[in-house]
Amino acid sequence: MKRLIRYDFVGFLIASRIPNLIIIGATQYLTAIFLVSEYPVKYQQITSLGFLMMSVSTVMIAAAGYIINDYYDQKIDMVNRPEKVVVGTMFRRRLAMLAHIVLTFGAIGIGFYLNIKVGVVHIISSFFLWYYSNQLRRITLIGNLVIAFLTGLTLLMVCVYLGRNEILVYIYSLFAMAITLVREVLKDIEDVKGDSAFGCESIPVIFGIRGAKLFIYLVIGGSGAFLLSFLITIDNWLVRYYFMALLPIFLWFIYKLIYADRQKDYQSLIRFTNLIILSGLISMILLKPWL
């Protein structure tokens, strides 16, 4: 019995995507520290217990979303990546559903305790994460857009809690949405076999691999144009040089995508999007001396 409980606990940690949760929490703190202006008493707010509770509750919503997605996608994942299936193997399905419920309602409760707006956002986020796993991910593009929006909302939650209106947070939120959208379509390409077998109408299932790649090129081109306009308007040469230095890396990403045709190629590109997100976090720090 103890061994079974130990397996469930380890399965819970794996299904919760602990590294991703750490990134979410760190992103909110970096956003608050480096993108939100100091007036009137920002640092008192950021170091408060309330901000920590807001960040923890956001992480709880994300963890619940990861778990419920694995719960509903068990059969698909057994086709796409059977060696990585956790729910139903290491983590019992009933306990996975219980963990999802406890994390969701716990986070919503914390949200309403802190601020009614935070509670409402948590309700909306948890609903769409559940609806995405249950239904939306099977609808062409809609599921991808929902996940991209919820990723951007992670940054916007900082403004919601602090009651601020910060243009830089909106810009970085849009950047996060674009990168997430690219990553989600890459994951759909990687999972096209299982998605097709279980009736998921993802972009590569409906339009083929070439169509999915074309969509990614359009997203990269649009987000690149947006980033260029941002770099032109901001009077910060350090940030400009930083992103200009990244240009060859983005071109390399496009080159690798053009010739990608195996599952491990798409896995490599998915991991690369995480590095792009990391570069965005680093650029936040570079902005600080100029704010």
Side-chain angles (χ1 to χ4, degrees):
M1 183 64 181
K2 290 183 179 180
R3 185 178 181 182
L4 186 60
I5 293 174
R6 185 165 62 249
Y7 271 121
D8 283 321
F9 179 70
V10 174
F12 167 77
L13 295 178
I14 296 174
S16 299
R17 315 289 204 282
I18 298 299
N20 291 5
L21 301 184
I22 293 173
I23 291 174
I24 290 172
T27 298
Q28 289 191 323
Y29 270 91
L30 290 173
T31 298
I33 293 170
F34 296 110
L35 299 186
V36 177
S37 56
E38 296 184 14
Y39 179 82
V41 283
K42 184 185 67 169
Y43 287 106
Q44 293 181 16
Q45 293 175 307
I46 295 173
T47 57
S48 68
L49 178 62
F51 192 89
L52 175 62
M53 293 174 65
M54 184 278 296
S55 186
V56 169
S57 63
T58 303
V59 166
M60 290 169 64
I61 291 290
Y66 287 129
I67 291 171
I68 197 64
N69 187 64
D70 283 357
Y71 178 90
Y72 282 113
D73 278 1
Q74 181 188 8
K75 293 181 179 179
I76 296 176
D77 289 340
M78 288 298 292
V79 175
N80 292 326
R81 51 180 76 84
E83 73 285 353
K84 294 184 178 180
V85 174
V86 176
V87 174
T89 56
M90 295 181 64
F91 192 20
R92 284 174 286 180
R93 287 175 60 84
R94 289 184 180 180
L95 289 180
M97 180 59 74
L98 177 62
H100 168 258
I101 293 172
V102 171
L103 287 170
T104 297
F105 283 95
I108 292 173
I110 293 173
F112 275 107
Y113 172 77
L114 294 173
N115 186 315
I116 189 171
K117 292 181 180 179
V118 175
V120 170
V121 172
H122 281 347
I123 288 178
I124 294 172
S125 299
S126 59
F127 169 76
F128 276 105
L129 284 171
W130 168 80
Y131 196 33
Y132 164 83
S133 301
N134 186 46
Q135 187 65 36
L136 292 181
R137 76 172 306 275
R138 294 164 173 78
I139 303 176
T140 308
L141 186 58
I142 300 300
N144 304 125
L145 291 174
V146 167
I147 294 300
F149 172 75
L150 293 177
T151 300
L153 191 59
T154 300
L155 282 76
L156 298 179
M157 276 296 300
V158 175
C159 289
V160 172
Y161 176 76
L162 296 178
R164 306 295 290 271
N165 185 22
E166 300 284 344
I167 185 64
L168 279 176
V169 178
Y170 300 147
I171 290 172
Y172 272 81
S173 178
L174 289 172
F175 175 76
M177 291 181 194
I179 297 302
T180 301
L181 185 57
V182 169
R183 183 176 61 187
E184 289 301 306
V185 176
L186 284 172
K187 288 166 63 177
D188 286 343
I189 296 175
E190 180 191 8
D191 297 343
V192 65
K193 183 178 179 180
D195 288 349
S196 178
F198 288 92
C200 296
E201 298 180 346
S202 64
I203 292 177
V205 170
I206 300 300
F207 299 103
I209 303 298
R210 288 186 179 179
K213 287 185 178 182
L214 177 59
F215 178 79
I216 292 175
Y217 300 145
L218 292 174
V219 174
I220 292 175
S223 58
F226 172 80
L227 179 61
L228 179 61
S229 64
F230 166 62
L231 294 178
I232 291 174
T233 57
I234 189 171
D235 186 20
N236 187 334
W237 281 100
L238 187 60
V239 175
R240 290 181 184 176
Y241 288 141
Y242 178 77
F243 279 104
M244 287 171 62
L246 290 177
L247 180 60
I249 299 177
F250 284 102
L251 293 176
W252 177 87
F253 176 86
I254 295 174
Y255 170 79
K256 297 295 288 187
L257 178 59
I258 291 173
Y259 291 100
D261 59 1
R262 294 175 296 178
Q263 191 176 50
K264 69 175 185 179
D265 295 332
Y266 298 112
Q267 291 173 349
S268 176
L269 290 170
I270 291 170
R271 289 193 295 268
F272 185 77
T273 59
N274 295 329
L275 295 179
I276 296 176
I277 293 173
L278 178 61
S279 73
L281 298 180
I282 294 173
S283 70
M284 290 183 186
I285 300 173
L286 297 178
L287 277 169
K288 181 60 180 178
W290 300 83
L291 295 177

